[in-house]
Amino acid sequence: MDPKTTITSGAAILGIEFGSTRIKAVLIGEDNSPIAQGSHTWENQLQDGLWTYSIPSILFGLQDCYADLRKDVLSKYGCEIRNLAAIGVSAMMHGYMPFGHDERILVPFRTWRNTNTGAAAAELSSLFNFNIPLRWSISHLYQAILNGEEHVKDISYLTTLAGYIHWKLTGEKVLGVGDASGMLPIDPSTLDYDKVMVEKFDALIAPKGLPWKLLDILPKVLPAGAAAGTLTQEGADMLDISGNLMPGVPLCPPEGDAGTGMTATNSVRKRTGNVSAGTSCFSMIVLERPLSKPYEPIDVVTTPDGSAVAMVHCNNCTSDINAWVNIFKEFQALLGVPVDMDELYALLYNEALKGDPDCGGLISYNYYSGEPIMGLSEGRPLFMRGPLDKFTLANFWRSHLSASIGVLKVGNDILLKDEKIRVDCITGHGGLFKTKGVGQRILSAALSSPISVMKTAGEGGPWGMALLAKYLVDNPDGLSLPEYLDGKVFAGNEGEEVIATKEEIAGFNKYIENYKAALPVEEAAVKYKA
């Protein structure tokens, strides 16, 4: 069917993803290609020392994003969206959204970006013999208990952002296994919360006398392909304020942005991996075998179908690059030169490839917020150079691009060098790779591995979520998720591959040695700069 017929017949599939700075929606047709898109720009707020998005901003963002999608459909095809074949919702993982019996949130949403859960994460990691990161929901919950926060006794439901939106649309308190694995560890044999850890947590908090046990308040876990409810009339009215969208649309399990990234890059099969590089940065490698021991920099989560994944998550990636590009934009404006931001990014990124592989000794720290892998609970963006370093435009930009994946390099060295994890292919996606070949080459040098970028990688999370929604309603042969993606979506598309030279790899290794050696300067900046 042509796109207009696909939409008017109700055969289009909608994927929505709540990212850190943009909420994006995409409609796909029978051939999986996007036929319409919408977006809404938003920002988190620092409230009482914690990063948050308000409930009104979440709901308005959802509605405005859908309205923008509807506007795109009207502009391109002159028709309304009245019905859909399926819907999928995804969002940034982790965080803390506790609700009371009246279905009102008890404290402002605490996002993944907060690093105030150190005591809880350390105690739980020891108790479970499993690395529990600062941003995981269980860390936030236990930290609130340790803090003696009054609201804890009133919790009726605890979920993630994706789980919240799905609940509002369907009334169902469920979560995809990948997103759930960022709340509490998952047992791969049951595709459910780890029973032993649940029992240990309940025993740990028993002396507090709380009126609930852990499983009482967590969402039900569902794998990809499972039915997760349908769009209610209330949900349809909330999503589409124009009143055109009909209820009854099936929804797939809500997922985290890690799961949609894996799906969008066909990286759900064992020995595949992907790197998502935008506001934050993370790598995902699907494991053949368990790690030999827990590592603080390594999260073990799952694919949307429940396979174990080693995740290296970095809180910071391109924000500092964007800030520096804006400085160059201001300079260009002072000269009276018209500014095309895409052109400016491309010019500066490509200039970075002319720099020395070790960035000429220049060092940048892109820490807008804390970086747990590096032991920092707060961040201060910082650029430094010595009097004899090669301070050129090319080295300046190469240092910033290298910094954007510096923490990722530190974490992945554990997997690739210490654990000797085998990976057949790594695929990059996200804003860092928008300028062709540049981010790929820097990442290839960092990981000493070929890096592919697919033509579809720019579609990102909402497209990956739409694919998971399609997997729910268009899989008559009962294929596994890897089989479905291989055969029905990607069909041999492995993307364009870039391989760094030996000199570039050696140069990045030297850069990262300098980066780690100068870390006390960043620590001092955190300590002394208010």
Side-chain angles (χ1 to χ4, degrees), residues 317-367:
C317 186
T318 58
S319 294
D320 198 38
I321 289 174
N322 296 339
W324 281 107
V325 171
N326 282 326
I327 292 293
F328 281 74
K329 172 190 171 184
E330 287 186 33
F331 176 68
Q332 207 168 331
L334 281 175
L335 295 176
V337 178
V339 178
D340 181 311
M341 291 303 287
D342 288 340
E343 181 182 12
L344 183 56
Y345 271 97
L347 284 170
L348 295 172
Y349 272 47
N350 279 293
E351 185 68 17
L353 292 185
K354 302 174 186 177
D356 297 311
D358 66 351
C359 305
L362 311 183
I363 301 172
S364 174
Y365 296 100
N366 63 336
Y367 303 167

Side-chain angles (χ1 to χ4, degrees), residues 330-411:
E330 287 186 33
F331 176 68
Q332 207 168 331
L334 281 175
L335 295 176
V337 178
V339 178
D340 181 311
M341 291 303 287
D342 288 340
E343 181 182 12
L344 183 56
Y345 271 97
L347 284 170
L348 295 172
Y349 272 47
N350 279 293
E351 185 68 17
L353 292 185
K354 302 174 186 177
D356 297 311
D358 66 351
C359 305
L362 311 183
I363 301 172
S364 174
Y365 296 100
N366 63 336
Y367 303 167
Y368 268 59
S369 58
E371 277 295 357
I373 290 176
M374 308 308 293
L376 290 169
S377 60
E378 295 183 48
R380 300 289 184 273
L382 179 67
F383 172 74
M384 68 177 79
R385 64 188 178 97
L388 300 181
D389 292 335
K390 299 177 183 177
F391 189 36
T392 65
L393 181 64
N395 282 337
F396 178 80
W397 275 103
R398 193 174 186 108
S399 74
H400 288 300
L401 289 174
S402 298
S404 71
I405 52 174
V407 180
L408 193 77
K409 159 74 170 173
V410 173

Side-chain angles (χ1 to χ4, degrees), residues 402-465:
S402 298
S404 71
I405 52 174
V407 180
L408 193 77
K409 159 74 170 173
V410 173
N412 274 277
D413 277 352
I414 295 171
L415 293 173
L416 302 176
K417 294 182 179 180
D418 299 344
E419 284 284 328
K420 306 232 175 349
I421 293 299
R422 299 174 69 183
V423 58
D424 295 327
C425 59
I426 297 177
T427 303
H429 65 112
L432 186 67
F433 306 106
K434 189 173 182 180
T435 301
K436 185 177 180 180
V438 179
Q440 269 178 278
R441 183 162 291 280
I442 301 291
L443 182 62
S444 179
L447 302 186
S448 305
S449 172
I451 305 296
S452 293
V453 171
M454 296 179 179
K455 291 180 180 179
T456 54
E459 309 297 351
W463 183 66
M465 196 64 234

Side-chain angles (χ1 to χ4, degrees), residues 62 111 190 196 206 289:
L62 174 68
T111 77
T190 64
V196 173
R289 57 173 176 80

Side-chain angles (χ1 to χ4, degrees), residues 84 123 224 233 281 331 399 434 438 488 511:
L84 293 163
E123 187 173 345
Q233 183 65 62
C281 180
F331 176 68
S399 74
K434 189 173 182 180
V438 179
K488 300 289 187 179
Y511 172 84

